Amino acid sequence: MSYKKYKADKIFDGKQFHANNPVLITNESGVIETIIEDKDAGDDIQIFEGIISPGFINCHCHLELSQMKNVVETGSGLVDFLIQVTEKRNNPEEAIRYAMQLADEEMYRNGIVAVGDICNTAVSIAIKRQSKIYYHNFIEALGFSQERATEIFEKFKDIYNTFCEAGFNNYTSIVPHAPYSVSPALFMLINHYSTGKIISIHNQETDAEDELFQANTGNFHILYQQFHINTDFFKPTNKSSLQSYLPLLNKASKILLIHNTFTHQSDIDFTIQQAKNYSQEIFWCLCPNANFYIEKKIPPIQMLQQNNCQLVLGTDSYSSNWQLNILDEIKTIQNNYTSVALQDLFQWATINGATALDIQNKFGSFAKGKQPGIVLIDHITDDKLTEQSTIKRLL
Ligand SMILES: [Zn+2]
């Protein structure tokens, strides 16, 4: 058998860095053999400047919204953002497909090997079938109505079934959009369908979310009025949004909480307790560029780290980002939290993301037998990315 050999200044294996002239050895199709020192690696070694890492995992994207690049203004706040996306997302299907194709190719070039993708329709199936990227499809249900909950759920179940029939049955789940857009009755229907599955939910992306649940006041009422949504059924819980809805999601095996920009210590404590009670794994997905785009705020990353929360990264969509590149999310975190170690950031982008999407047997690290993709990150100074750092796919 012939081998491929990659040498770099450092190799990140999914958990830690290897220095001292490491060489990564794979078979011809990129299945990992081992990492050894160059003096033991023989001939035909390809030499690179920078860090070699397993491919990155993007845990949160909306491929369907790729045609919305530069459409929504930045800094408008979440409620205005949601109104703009809802009003401007209905483009001709041809334009949507073309934008998705470009987004998929861009993510591939940017070293992304797997994506957790939010779907409100089945329009992305054709692209995903041909893509070189692995997709987990989160069929995202939304509808803030108690009476119509069953009807709404059936509509999204049809989309779920369409994905299953297209061969995605093991990588598709039905998930709630957000606490303010899913009624308790719809939460319960989704929960019953979630046993053993991975789900995600947009969590505490704006402070208006907690205000809604605590006092039934605040900006979300502008959204409900705009779309003529009758919220008479809704009763405030006097708790944060997370502490109000999380008990309604106790059957999934893994939950990805997306954004967490306005999460508090008491919410983290509550989440740890629920994970213990129901044997769930909970992941905190950070999409800092989207948070800057919409709310101009960054999540409390140090607090999440101090609580040993499992962190993962996402780009969100082109409706709230300038590019689909996990390396740029890492740069933004590093620029705002200079004390976060590069090793931690790379773990979030690789092994943690793979574990969240339940693909850790193939992706996320350079353990023998995996085929996680190989990327090169350059222009590193003193164990920090620089503005010039880029990511490029080696395999
Ligand atoms: Zn999102």
Side-chain angles (χ1 to χ4, degrees):
M1 192 185 334
S2 73
Y3 295 106
K4 289 185 170 175
K5 302 172 184 176
Y6 304 87
K7 177 178 165 176
D9 302 324
K10 284 185 180 180
I11 292 177
F12 176 73
D13 67 7
K15 303 213 163 115
Q16 59 190 10
F17 285 106
H18 297 243
N20 301 324
N21 305 312
V23 177
L24 173 69
I25 300 187
T26 76
N27 75 9
E28 277 180 334
S29 31
V31 177
I32 304 301
E33 287 289 334
T34 186
I35 297 171
I36 54 174
E37 281 187 44
D38 63 347
K39 65 179 171 57
D40 304 320
D43 305 327
D44 295 329
I45 301 171
Q46 303 179 64
I47 300 170
F48 300 95
E49 272 179 33
I51 297 173
I52 283 180
S53 163
F56 283 179
I57 316 291
N58 180 2
C59 281
H60 184 69
C61 186
H62 304 238
L63 204 59
E64 279 173 25
L65 299 179
S66 298
Q67 88 281 12
M68 300 198 70
K69 198 172 182 176
N70 301 321
V71 170
V72 182
E73 292 155 41
T74 68
S76 60
L78 184 67
V79 168
D80 191 53
F81 170 82
L82 291 166
I83 292 171
Q84 290 198 53
V85 170
T86 309
E87 288 175 345
K88 296 176 181 170
R89 68 178 290 176
N90 295 318
N91 289 301
E93 199 169 303
E94 203 46 43
I96 296 176
R97 280 183 203 279
Y98 181 63
M100 286 192 300
Q101 182 72 45
L102 294 183
D104 176 74
E105 288 165 11
E106 178 190 345
M107 286 197 280
Y108 182 82
R109 278 197 308 277
N110 289 338
I112 292 168
V113 291
V115 176
D117 190 51
I118 302 288
C119 317
N120 303 114
T121 72
V123 71
S124 59
I125 286 178
I127 306 270
K128 287 169 178 168
R129 275 179 138 168
Q130 303 166 4
S131 176
K132 287 180 254 179
I133 295 175
Y134 170 97
Y135 282 94
H136 185 101
N137 306 294
F138 293 112
I139 311 304
E140 184 187 70
L142 73 167
F144 205 51
S145 162
Q146 284 284 83
E147 314 95 79
R148 292 186 46 238
T150 305
E151 178 197 326
I152 293 165
F153 183 74
E154 289 302 320
K155 182 182 116 188
F156 289 101
K157 207 168 99 186
D158 284 349
I159 299 170
Y160 171 85
N161 288 336
T162 308
F163 272 88
C164 292
E165 283 155 20
F168 288 101
N169 32 326
N170 292 328
Y171 341 110
T172 302
S173 28
I174 303 182
V175 308
H177 166 250
Y180 53 80
S181 61
V182 172
S183 64
L186 184 54
F187 264 116
M188 284 168 73
L189 290 165
I190 294 168
N191 194 38
H192 280 297
Y193 221 74
S194 301
T195 306
K197 295 217 168 223
I198 312 166
I199 61 167
S200 80
I201 181 167
H202 293 87
N203 178 62
Q204 295 176 309
E205 194 175 353
T206 172
D207 53 0
E209 209 177 289
D210 279 351
E211 190 185 344
L212 177 73
F213 280 86
Q214 267 148 1
N216 199 10
T217 55
N219 271 347
F220 278 109
H221 284 283
I222 299 172
L223 183 82
Y224 300 143
Q225 272 163 22
Q226 176 85 13
F227 297 112
H228 309 291
I229 296 165
N230 180 344
T231 62
D232 289 349
F233 73 89
F234 181 76
K235 300 278 173 289
T237 57
N238 297 318
K239 295 175 186 165
S240 74
S241 77
L242 181 144
Q243 294 176 46
S244 305
Y245 75 76
L246 204 61
L248 302 175
L249 297 175
N250 60 9
K251 296 199 165 169
S253 61
K254 302 188 180 198
I255 305 179
L256 280 67
L257 301 173
I258 315 296
H259 292 304
N260 318 304
T261 330
F262 294 86
T263 297
H264 297 100
Q265 180 64 47
S266 57
D267 298 318
I268 298 174
D269 296 340
F270 187 89
T271 305
I272 292 169
Q273 197 53 49
Q274 165 147 337
K276 217 180 265 171
N277 291 347
Y278 297 100
S279 305
Q280 294 179 299
E281 273 186 273
I282 301 199
F283 298 86
W284 304 78
C285 181
L286 308 172
C287 310
N289 287 333
N291 304 142
F292 272 113
Y293 195 113
I294 300 172
E295 291 269 345
K296 299 215 179 289
K297 183 141 185 338
I298 193 160
I301 293 173
Q302 279 168 322
M303 182 174 74
L304 291 163
Q305 274 196 297
Q306 281 155 9
N307 285 277
N308 294 319
C309 294
Q310 293 203 76
L311 290 161
V312 299
L313 301 175
T315 58
D316 219 332
S317 77
Y318 260 134
S319 66
S320 60
N321 209 338
W322 299 270
Q323 67 283 311
L324 303 178
N325 190 346
I326 289 293
L327 192 74
D328 279 309
E329 305 299 322
I330 296 178
K331 283 184 188 174
T332 298
I333 295 173
Q334 194 193 259
N335 291 343
N336 286 275
Y337 291 101
T338 46
S339 65
V340 180
L342 197 59
Q343 179 168 291
D344 291 338
L345 290 160
F346 276 29
Q347 281 175 9
W348 307 348
T350 57
I351 191 65
N352 285 15
T355 307
L357 298 183
D358 214 23
I359 48 173
Q360 67 280 5
N361 290 335
K362 180 173 179 193
F363 295 100
S365 82
F366 286 145
K368 187 175 166 62
K370 289 194 192 185
Q371 200 175 0
I374 302 171
V375 299
L376 176 73
I377 298 108
D378 61 9
H379 290 95
I380 315 273
T381 308
D382 299 332
D383 289 329
K384 296 261 181 229
L385 299 181
T386 60
E387 273 316 303
Q388 289 74 41
S389 295
T390 61
I391 183 162
K392 153 160 117 224
R393 206 174 245 277
L394 301 182
L395 197 74

